[in-house]
Amino acid sequence: DTNLQVNDCAESLSKANKARAVETKENEKHVSELVVANQELEHLTEENTRVEAELASARRELVVEKKAKRKQAEELAEMNEGLKSAKASQKAHIDDLREMMFMTSHQLRTPVVQILGLADILDTTTNTPAEVNEIVDCMKESAETLDDVTKELTTFIHDKEVKAKNEGRK
């Protein structure tokens, strides 16, 4: 009986050893899988760290670009205001030139044409002394009008020059 018990015990131990060996192999396989998983995790951690560094660098670049774009927007706004101001000045200058053209073509030309017409009358017709005196009086009146318009035009031009200089100082 003791032999039988020893044999049963030995057989049980053998079976237990075989089961233990299978468990050990499975454990070694799990350990091997865990080692591979740990290596993959370390690699992913390194990759994550690298990506985070790249993202931080990209964020810094974006901040710099945002500041640069804000500065450009401010500069463009200033330039736009300058252009608006220049356009307004140009329009005022064109209006001034139109006014000068009107003065020249109408107010200045009228007395000149009158004087020329009166001189032509003196040249082409025989006039009595009374008519000559009347024509001379009309010529004097036209010459005075011409003088007034010339003074007005000179004052107008001078005022515009002073205004332009004052605006240039601003």
Side-chain angles (χ1 to χ4, degrees), residues 54-67:
E54 288 176 1
L55 285 173
S57 176
R59 278 189 214 105
R60 286 189 297 272
E61 287 178 20
L62 285 174
V63 166
V64 169
E65 287 177 16
K66 186 177 179 181
K67 287 179 183 176

